[in-house]
Every structure is written in structure tokens, then in C-alpha cells.
Amino acid sequence: MTFKQKLTGLSALAALSSIAALSSCSTQHAETPKSICGTKVTKALIEPLLKPTEKVSEWHSAGWGEPGSAWCIVSVGNDRTLRFQFSWHPDSIDPLKFASPDDSVTGLWDPSPMHLADSAAIGDNGAIATTRCKSGKGDHFTIALRLTREGSVPHLRSEVEQFMRAYMPATMNAVGCTHP
């Protein structure tokens, strides 16, 4: 066997090893959920925010869907990835006021106004949207989303905007909130 034949054989073996490693990694890739915090979502909208590599799970507050305020945390493996705050309230709010990076619940990085619902703010790490809501739970409904990845602020403004444009109206429908 010549050196060139050995090299070709080793290259083929390395290529097969790489393919086997890639296919074993892809089997470890977790499945993207079909709903987030009670609202159906498309894989294309949620996957960029979650980047699931492990099992995706949810944890939400008691009294979920009742008048007042509720939260839902979405985790990938043991890492909390998304935090949602849902509020039904009697008066309108200014999302930019609550978007300050100093706010521990809804603080957003580099917030700016967004055209969604009655009023909204978007940042590099989340969004807040509010609308008038005809329901028995309150006159206004607000969703605050914050990406909670540890270590750095994710700069996913366009992905968050695409997600919220679909998630806000779908969630309003899911909780029985109709715009007057």
C-alpha cells in the first residue's frame, strides 16, 4: 500500500468519523415546543430565542390566566432562557417606562418604541406590549418578554420583534382578550 493510498484511506475514515459525530450531535438536539406559556408558536419564531440543545420546560405562577399578574419561565435544560410577565390591569401603561434596564422584571437593553398593539417597547433582550382588552380580567392586557440568558445581553432585537408580532395577538386570543 502506498503512502497516497494510506492518506486517502485515513481521509475517508476521518470523513466518516465526522459524519458520525455530526449525526450523534443532531440526535442530542432537543425538540422545539409547539407552544410557549399556553400559546401556540411556530418553530421558526421560537427557535432563535430558545436555541434548544436540551429539554425545554416551563414553570408558571399559581393563578395562571386569572385576573392580576402571572409569570411563566421557559428553561432549556437547567438554564432559564425566557421570562414572560402577563398582566391584566384597569389602566393603560407606558411600556417605555417599564422598559428601563434598571427594572428587574421587565428591564430591556436599549429600549425603543415599537408599533404593536396599543403601545409597545422593544429592546435587545425582550419586549413589552400592551393593549385594551375586553374581558372579565381587566380593561388592559400586557405581555413583557425578557431573555434571561446568563452572562450577557443577547442582541436579538429583530428575532424578538418577529416573535412578539405573532405571540401578542395569539396570546390575546388564547386568554379570551378581544380588542374593543
Side-chain angles (χ1 to χ4, degrees), residues 26 35 47 62 71 82:
S26 66
S35 69
E47 203 163 63
W71 50 262
L82 305 174

Side-chain angles (χ1 to χ4, degrees), residues 6-109:
K6 285 182 185 178
L7 189 57
T8 303
L10 289 175
S11 296
L13 184 59
L16 287 173
S17 296
S18 295
I19 290 168
L22 285 174
S23 61
S24 69
C25 287
S26 66
T27 60
Q28 294 174 357
H29 183 63
E31 189 174 316
T32 303
K34 292 179 174 46
S35 69
I36 295 290
C37 301
T39 301
K40 288 183 181 181
V41 294
T42 65
K43 182 179 181 175
L45 290 175
I46 194 60
E47 203 163 63
L49 302 181
L50 285 178
K51 298 184 183 192
T53 55
E54 297 178 61
K55 182 181 178 190
V56 177
S57 60
E58 291 182 8
W59 180 41
H60 54 78
S61 59
W64 178 247
E66 295 179 13
S69 185
W71 50 262
C72 177
I73 296 171
V74 180
S75 298
V76 175
N78 293 326
D79 297 326
R80 292 179 177 183
T81 306
L82 305 174
R83 178 183 172 84
F84 290 86
Q85 186 76 32
F86 303 90
S87 300
W88 291 265
H89 42 92
D91 300 321
S92 65
I93 65 160
D94 177 4
L96 278 173
K97 178 181 175 187
F98 292 97
S100 165
D102 299 333
D103 190 303
S104 64
V105 176
T106 57
L108 303 178
W109 289 100

Side-chain angles (χ1 to χ4, degrees), residues 89-149:
H89 42 92
D91 300 321
S92 65
I93 65 160
D94 177 4
L96 278 173
K97 178 181 175 187
F98 292 97
S100 165
D102 299 333
D103 190 303
S104 64
V105 176
T106 57
L108 303 178
W109 289 100
D110 195 20
S112 62
M114 175 179 159
H115 295 289
L116 175 66
D118 288 345
S119 185
I122 188 164
D124 291 338
N125 63 331
I128 304 168
T130 189
T131 190
R132 290 169 287 150
C133 172
K134 198 187 259 188
S135 78
K137 300 172 185 172
D139 295 328
H140 291 81
F141 177 65
T142 300
I143 298 176
L145 162 64
R146 192 168 83 179
L147 283 69
T148 57
R149 294 193 186 126

